[in-house]
């Protein structure tokens, strides 16, 4: 068996590979442990390159033992050498991983595909989550494919267009009379009450988080099995940055790439805890007030905050905290230079990257990989007011010629 067990990330206590997520000793989060001898025997560059064109080409590194993947084709998304954007920012080797083109249009498809597959392996009867955004849509789609009922908890008064994706796939969307935190709390209680239901970011969280490691494998494979000099990652809970770090380590320990110290940089909207702690050298303190239009990154109490900060610091990276107007400008710059329309979180990545280059933290010739996590149509309403108006004419050729002259 490839999955050896789970281990507490704080005190190190070990647990069997079951649907559990908190340490009974210190309440710390748990992490999947693997049998590395098994993985070294099974994995190879050649086998990966002949695998499916989805994240399941990296199956030997994922926490699934026997089950057939629930695969909508997530992962192995566009890998773009962004020469136009690079020219504007002053970078010669800028690469983008574009997860706006995943099956449900965000990187969440990677983690959900792994978590729902794990739910099937555990022979669970249903899956669920609390979410108002990308996670809800992705979970509903994968549950449909897996033929499992899905329960999605949302706060009161949510606009129907935010949950259209979840509803169309047939998920049970439960509107809780309260805030998002209330919805999340109920979801946690339901997960406790129904141990044979898999809540992807609650009792399946250790397995779920592993799906994001594929963002590291892809960068290395697409760079001809080498590691980049620097990465720029958007941060909400910080879990994504930590997973990409583990992914590069996996490749090194199995000899698929040569060891290299990759510099990890994070980007988070202004005022949020992880970037604040890195910038000012303080500890990661929760914040209550979150004044940003980038809702998908607005987590006031980031579960992986201390771990993300530690990785950034030990790799000599940095964390940036762009303001919302910089984020929208960066999103538009990316769209105009590379033809990619990303959601606001992607704008935070590019705005952060821009600052890092301007501050001299990234050299012109560095090989940089920046992560774009979702599709622009998901947050289009936030950009509309920042766009040029249409050019109005009457249906006469001379009027057209006049306005373009
Ligand atoms: Zn512990």
């Amino acid at each position: 068996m490839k999955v050896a067990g789970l281990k507490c990330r704080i005190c190190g206590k070990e647990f069997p590979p079951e649907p559990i997520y908190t340490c009974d000793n210190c309440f710390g989060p748990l992490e999947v442990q693997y049998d590395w001898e098994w993985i070294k025997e099974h994995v190879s560059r050649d086998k990966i390159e002949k695998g499916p064109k989805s994240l399941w080409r990296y199956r030997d590194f994922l926490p699934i033992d026997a089950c057939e993947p629930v695969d909508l084709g997530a992962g192995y998304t566009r890998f773009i050498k962004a020469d136009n954007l690079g020219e504007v920012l002053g970078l010669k080797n800028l690469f983008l991983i574009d997860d706006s083109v995943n099956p449900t249009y965000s990187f969440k498809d990677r983690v959900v595909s792994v978590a729902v597959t794990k739910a099937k392996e555990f022979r669970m009867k249903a899956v669920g989550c609390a979410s108002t955004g990308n996670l809800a849509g992705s979970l509903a789609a994968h549950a449909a494919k897996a033929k499992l009922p899905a329960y999605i908890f949302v706060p009161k008064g949510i606009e129907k267009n935010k949950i259209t994706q979840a509803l169309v796939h047939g998920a049970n969307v439960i509107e809780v009379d309260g805030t998002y935190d209330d919805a999340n709390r109920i979801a946690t209680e339901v997960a406790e009450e129904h141990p044979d239901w898999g809540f992807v970011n609650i009792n399946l969280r250790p397995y779920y988080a592993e799906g994001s490691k594929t963002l590291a494998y892809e960068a290395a494979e697409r760079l001809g099995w080498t590691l980049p000099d620097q990465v720029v990652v958007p941060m909400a809970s910080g879990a994504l940055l930590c997973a990409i770090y583990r992914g590069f380590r996996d490749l090194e320990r199995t000899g698929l790439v040569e060891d290299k110290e990759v510099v990890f940089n994070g980007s988070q909207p202004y005022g949020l805890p992880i970037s604040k702690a890195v910038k000012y050298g303080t500890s990661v303190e929760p914040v209550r007030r979150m004044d940003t239009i980038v809702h998908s990154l607005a987590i006031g109490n980031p579960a992986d905050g201390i771990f993300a900060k530690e990785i950034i610091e030990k790799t000599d990276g940095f964390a940036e905290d762009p303001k919302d107007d910089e984020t929208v400008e960066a999103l538009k710059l990316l769209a105009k230079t590379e033809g990619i329309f990303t959601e606001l979180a992607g704008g935070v990545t590019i705005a952060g990257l821009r600052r890092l280059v301007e501050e001299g933290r990234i050299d012109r010739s560095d090989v940089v990989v920046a992560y774009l996590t979702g599709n622009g149509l998901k947050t289009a309403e936030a950009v509309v007011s920042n766009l040029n108006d249409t050019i109005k004419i009457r249906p006469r050729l001379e009027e057209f010629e006049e306005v373009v002259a």
Side-chain angles (χ1 to χ4, degrees):
M1 297 280 270
K2 174 183 20 168
V3 181
L6 298 169
K7 190 175 174 182
C8 175
R9 290 164 73 188
I10 306 283
C11 76
K13 184 172 174 186
E14 293 182 4
F15 298 85
E18 286 168 7
I20 43 176
Y21 60 106
T22 11
C23 174
D24 59 9
N25 183 39
C26 74
F27 300 107
L30 306 184
E31 188 169 65
V32 178
Q33 300 293 298
Y34 296 91
D35 176 350
W36 286 100
E37 289 311 312
W38 187 99
I39 294 175
K40 274 184 209 162
E41 269 170 39
H42 288 80
V43 80
S44 72
R45 289 182 184 177
D46 189 51
K47 186 174 166 190
I48 290 171
E49 285 163 6
K50 287 181 179 143
K53 291 205 181 318
S54 77
L55 67 98
W56 293 101
R57 66 203 279 109
Y58 308 109
R59 183 181 173 148
D60 288 334
F61 286 120
L62 295 172
I64 304 297
D65 276 310
C67 195
E68 270 310 298
V70 179
D71 187 6
L72 292 179
Y76 206 64
T77 50
R78 295 195 298 188
F79 186 77
I80 297 151
K81 182 151 198 286
D83 285 334
N84 295 347
L85 178 63
E87 198 180 315
V88 176
L89 299 182
L91 291 171
K92 286 199 293 198
N93 298 299
L94 173 60
F95 297 86
L96 305 171
I97 287 194
D98 179 16
D99 265 9
S100 72
V101 293
N102 260 324
T104 75
Y105 310 106
S106 91
F107 88 103
K108 293 286 183 190
D109 286 334
R110 296 174 186 266
V111 281
V112 169
S113 181
V114 172
V116 174
T117 301
K118 197 66 192 175
K120 287 205 79 165
E121 193 173 279
F122 283 141
R123 299 183 183 281
M124 289 171 146
K125 305 287 186 298
V127 288
C129 68
S131 166
T132 57
N134 289 334
L135 182 58
S138 182
L139 180 71
H142 284 87
K145 184 74 176 170
K147 296 196 248 177
L148 287 172
Y151 296 93
I152 295 168
F153 293 79
V154 298
K156 186 186 177 179
I158 190 164
E159 297 153 56
K160 206 161 183 185
N161 63 15
K162 293 224 158 126
I163 46 169
T164 306
Q165 222 183 352
L167 289 167
V168 82
H169 295 300
N172 303 292
V173 177
I174 319 290
E175 189 172 334
V176 179
D177 187 2
T179 61
Y180 176 76
D181 288 335
D182 294 320
N184 200 37
R185 190 169 43 75
I186 293 293
T188 309
E189 286 174 21
V190 174
E192 296 282 339
E193 192 61 32
H194 298 267
D196 59 347
W197 291 14
F199 278 71
V200 292
N201 58 346
I202 303 173
N203 55 349
L204 293 175
R205 189 170 184 89
Y207 308 98
Y208 163 92
E210 294 295 275
S212 294
K213 295 194 304 181
T214 57
L215 284 162
Y217 310 144
E218 277 176 40
E221 184 184 355
R222 299 293 186 83
L223 291 170
W225 297 107
T226 61
L227 299 187
D229 297 311
Q230 305 223 19
V231 294
V232 185
V233 184
M235 298 188 292
S237 70
L240 181 62
L241 187 140
C242 296
I244 294 171
Y245 180 80
R246 289 201 305 281
F248 288 144
R249 288 276 302 112
D250 292 350
L251 296 174
E252 289 173 344
R253 70 197 294 171
T254 48
L256 293 195
V257 300
E258 280 184 31
D259 289 16
K260 179 172 173 179
E261 186 78 13
V262 180
V263 177
F264 273 76
N265 303 286
S267 191
Q268 206 171 33
Y270 179 76
L272 288 173
I274 313 176
S275 284
K276 205 170 172 180
V278 172
K279 278 193 103 158
Y280 303 107
T282 58
S283 57
V284 181
E285 299 292 343
V287 298
R288 278 180 160 275
R289 230 179 91 93
M290 287 175 286
D291 224 354
T292 175
I293 56 171
V294 193
H295 301 300
S296 65
L297 298 182
I299 292 185
N301 191 5
D304 283 67
I306 50 169
F307 306 110
K309 177 174 182 264
E310 195 182 298
I311 290 167
I312 291 168
E313 285 172 348
K314 79 176 172 204
T315 63
D316 279 329
F318 199 63
E320 271 305 345
D321 56 350
K323 303 247 171 78
D324 286 349
D325 56 342
E326 282 176 82
T327 292
V328 173
E329 275 315 302
L331 178 155
K332 286 163 63 182
L333 176 66
L334 172 70
K336 283 182 193 168
T337 53
E338 296 294 339
I340 300 169
F341 182 23
T342 181
E343 66 174 353
L344 289 165
V348 171
T349 304
I350 302 301
L353 168 67
R354 181 171 213 164
R355 283 199 190 173
L356 292 162
V357 177
E358 283 168 6
E359 290 157 3
R361 296 178 188 276
I362 297 180
D363 286 339
R364 186 174 166 72
S365 58
D366 281 351
V367 175
V368 181
V369 174
Y371 290 95
L372 306 174
T373 45
N375 196 292
L377 293 174
K378 295 214 177 206
T379 54
E381 70 288 349
V383 222
V384 169
S385 58
N386 274 282
L387 300 176
N388 291 340
D389 215 343
T390 52
I391 299 165
K392 293 179 178 64
I393 60 167
R394 280 170 293 182
R396 287 182 198 147
L397 183 58
E398 57 279 15
E399 288 205 18
F400 171 75
E401 297 295 349
E402 211 171 282
V403 292
V404 295

